[in-house]
Amino acid sequence: MQESKRGNVRNPACLSRQLFDLVTARWATLVLVDLMEGPQRWSELRRRAGGVSDKMLAQTLRDLEAGGLITRTVHADRPPTVLYALTDLARGATAALQHLQDWAEEHTSDYDHYRRAHTIDPKP
């Protein structure tokens, strides 16, 4: 591994911005949260993400693998089994993602209250 050099996510030219964008992308965040529970197959990730298209999931997994956040391991079973898992690099971000997930789930009612209060045509 290379020597650590701190980046600046506010600098659009900095690689830390790309990493930040990758980790916080809608489907990437959900995939990373799901992989915190251990290696998973494609079908499991698609089912758990709920609403992701095959194309978007494929692109997300490719992006996460290219960014060093997940591994893709093909097992020579019949039929072949492909498992996706977090890398050590991604594990550093998962604690923050877990806190964010917990926060979002705990504040669903608050969010709904404010969202309804600021909607022009609130639904009953």
Side-chain angles (χ1 to χ4, degrees):
M1 189 169 272
Q2 295 180 358
E3 183 180 331
S4 180
K5 180 182 172 188
R6 186 168 178 89
N8 178 356
V9 296
R10 288 181 177 76
N11 178 351
C14 185
L15 288 176
S16 65
R17 169 78 71 96
Q18 290 178 23
L19 180 57
F20 186 80
D21 289 346
L22 175 59
V23 170
T24 59
R26 177 182 183 183
W27 299 113
T29 300
L30 292 173
V31 166
L32 292 171
V33 166
D34 288 339
L35 289 176
M36 285 191 289
E37 296 178 17
Q40 295 182 38
R41 296 174 63 167
W42 165 283
S43 57
E44 181 84 5
L45 291 169
R46 187 181 66 209
R47 181 184 62 76
R48 294 184 72 180
V52 65
S53 69
D54 288 349
K55 180 180 177 182
M56 194 68 235
L57 181 58
Q59 183 63 53
T60 299
L61 292 170
R62 276 193 300 272
D63 292 346
L64 290 170
E65 185 179 14
L69 297 174
I70 65 169
T71 59
R72 180 182 183 271
T73 305
V74 180
H75 297 276
D77 302 333
R78 292 279 181 202
T81 303
V82 178
L83 289 177
Y84 297 92
L86 295 175
T87 64
D88 289 340
L89 177 62
R91 282 187 192 89
T94 57
L97 293 177
Q98 184 64 58
H99 287 298
L100 185 58
Q101 177 186 353
D102 292 343
W103 174 85
E105 291 172 352
E106 289 172 13
H107 292 87
T108 302
S109 295
D110 297 330
Y111 171 70
D112 186 48
H113 169 77
Y114 288 110
R115 187 181 56 87
R116 286 176 183 257
H118 292 88
T119 301
I120 294 171
D121 185 20
K123 294 183 171 92

